[in-house]
Amino acid sequence: MRQALTIAGSDSGGGAGIQADLKSFAAAGVYGTSVITSVTSQNTQGVTDIFNLPLSSIESQLDAIFDDFDISCVKTGMLSTAEIIRTVSDKLQHFKVKKLVVDPVMVAKGGSRLLEESAVNTLIDSLIPQAYIITPNIEEAEFLLDCTINNDAEMSKAAKDLMKMGSEFVLLKGGHLRSRYAKDILVGTDLELTFTSKKIDSKNTHGTGCTYASSIAAYLAKGFDIKKAVQTAKNYIYETINSSRDLGIGSGHGPLNHFCYTRSFDNAY
C-alpha cells in the first residue's frame, strides 16, 4: 500500500490541518502518516490558541517516520515559524524527499495568522525550492509576490513568477476571485493548464486548501502524473464541498465531507 506523510498543524475541530490531510489520504486509498508541528485550539468559528511543538519533537517524529515507512510523497501545511521551516527543510533534504507538495498555509479561514511574517522569507528560501509542486491560493500568492491578482491573466503571470522561486510546478488556486467558477492554473516548464469547476454556495469550506493539497499528494504517491493528480484532486474537492452543504457540523465555517465517495458515510449524519 502506498504511504504518504503530512507535516502540519493539528486542528482540534477536525476540519483542516493534520486531520483533513489524513482523511484525504484515506479517501484516496493511501496510508497516511503524520508529523505534528503545532497544536491549534480551533473550531468552525476560528482559532483561539496556537502551541508550537519543540523542534526536538518535530525532528524525532520525522526520524521515526523515515526510519520505518516507505514514504512516496510528503505534504507540508502549517509551519508557523522560521525555525520550524528550517528544521523540516533540513530533514527533508537529509531524507532525500523527491515528491514534496508545499501548501504555503498563512491564514486560517477565520482570519487567524498561521505563519509568522518573519518566517515568509525562510519559506521562500528554504522550503519552496525543494518542492515538486506548491499550491497557494490567490491571497497567499499575492503575499509571496507582493502583488495583486484580479483576473485570469494576472493569475497566469503570478503562477509563472512563483515558479521562479524554484518549485517544479505551481498550482495557483483561483477560488477567491469573484467569478461563478473556481479556476486553478497549473504551470511548469512548457506547461500551462486550467482546471475549472462551478463554485458551490456553501459555508462549509473549512480545510479546503489542506484537503486539495493532501489529495494531490495522495495521488502523486499512487504514481499519477502531475496533470492527472491535480485533475483527480480537483474533482474530489468539488465533491467534498458539494456534499457538505447539509452536514450541520458547527456554527461557523463547517468541514468538508471527506468521505463523499463512500455511500455509507452519509448515514452517519
Side-chain angles (χ1 to χ4, degrees), residues 166-212:
S167 64
E168 192 166 342
F169 297 98
V170 173
L171 179 69
L172 180 52
K173 301 172 294 186
H176 289 191
L177 288 182
R178 290 187 177 181
S179 170
R180 293 173 54 200
Y181 298 92
K183 292 185 178 180
D184 306 328
I185 294 179
L186 174 68
V187 298
T189 304
D190 300 322
L191 172 70
E192 181 169 348
L193 295 172
T194 300
F195 301 86
T196 304
S197 63
K198 288 186 67 174
K199 282 189 178 178
I200 300 166
D201 184 17
S202 174
K203 70 172 186 176
N204 297 331
T205 56
H206 180 53
T208 302
C210 303
T211 299
Y212 199 171

Side-chain angles (χ1 to χ4, degrees), residues 124-125 128-129 134 144-145 156-170 187-189:
I124 293 171
D125 295 338
I128 288 178
I134 63 172
L144 288 169
L145 295 170
S156 176
K157 181 181 184 304
K160 292 170 184 173
D161 288 342
L162 286 166
M163 263 199 70
K164 297 174 185 176
M165 294 182 179
S167 64
E168 192 166 342
F169 297 98
V170 173
V187 298
T189 304

Side-chain angles (χ1 to χ4, degrees), residues 4-267:
L5 166 65
T6 169
I7 307 171
S10 169
D11 171 3
S12 56
I18 288 287
Q19 289 81 353
D21 296 344
L22 292 176
K23 292 174 190 177
S24 302
F25 290 167
V30 170
Y31 183 83
T33 62
S34 63
V35 168
I36 297 175
T37 58
S38 305
V39 175
T40 71
S41 301
Q42 186 174 174
N43 55 30
T44 64
Q45 299 178 65
V47 179
T48 58
D49 186 54
I50 296 173
F51 173 75
N52 296 322
L53 269 67
L55 299 181
S56 58
S57 175
I58 296 171
E59 289 181 324
S60 65
Q61 289 179 77
L62 284 162
D63 288 338
I65 294 299
F66 283 100
D67 281 349
D68 192 41
F69 296 92
D70 182 14
I71 300 299
S72 298
C73 189
V74 176
K75 178 256 179 183
T76 64
M78 179 185 176
L79 308 174
S80 60
T81 70
E83 292 76 18
I84 290 175
I85 294 170
R86 276 194 290 268
T87 296
V88 170
S89 175
D90 290 346
K91 280 292 184 180
L92 295 181
Q93 281 188 315
H94 173 74
F95 291 114
K96 297 180 173 58
V97 169
K98 294 180 180 179
K99 290 291 175 66
L100 172 63
V101 179
V102 173
D103 184 19
V105 175
M106 295 184 180
V107 179
K109 184 69 69 181
S112 297
R113 176 164 285 281
L114 301 178
L115 175 69
E116 295 178 359
E117 286 193 41
S118 59
V120 174
N121 285 338
T122 307
L123 179 71
I124 293 171
D125 295 338
S126 298
L127 194 63
I128 288 178
Q130 294 184 56
Y132 182 66
I133 182 172
I134 63 172
T135 62
N137 60 33
I138 292 292
E139 293 174 353
E140 290 159 349
E142 288 178 332
F143 195 88
L144 288 169
L145 295 170
D146 191 21
C147 71
T148 57
I149 302 169
N150 298 299
N151 52 52
D152 293 352
E154 291 176 355
M155 272 188 70
S156 176
K157 181 181 184 304
K160 292 170 184 173
D161 288 342
L162 286 166
M163 263 199 70
K164 297 174 185 176
M165 294 182 179
S167 64
E168 192 166 342
F169 297 98
V170 173
L171 179 69
L172 180 52
K173 301 172 294 186
H176 289 191
L177 288 182
R178 290 187 177 181
S179 170
R180 293 173 54 200
Y181 298 92
K183 292 185 178 180
D184 306 328
I185 294 179
L186 174 68
V187 298
T189 304
D190 300 322
L191 172 70
E192 181 169 348
L193 295 172
T194 300
F195 301 86
T196 304
S197 63
K198 288 186 67 174
K199 282 189 178 178
I200 300 166
D201 184 17
S202 174
K203 70 172 186 176
N204 297 331
T205 56
H206 180 53
T208 302
C210 303
T211 299
Y212 199 171
S214 55
S215 183
I216 291 170
Y219 289 113
L220 289 173
K222 294 181 78 168
F224 288 24
D225 65 33
I226 190 63
K227 291 183 284 187
K228 187 177 180 181
V230 171
Q231 182 63 75
T232 308
K234 176 75 170 177
N235 296 342
Y236 173 66
I237 203 71
Y238 177 87
E239 294 299 334
T240 61
I241 298 172
N242 190 45
S243 62
S244 72
R245 286 180 287 182
D246 300 321
L247 287 183
I249 298 174
S251 57
H253 294 286
L256 308 178
N257 181 359
H258 287 90
F259 298 103
C260 55
Y261 292 150
T262 306
R263 290 182 182 179
S264 61
F265 181 75
D266 295 332
N267 298 328

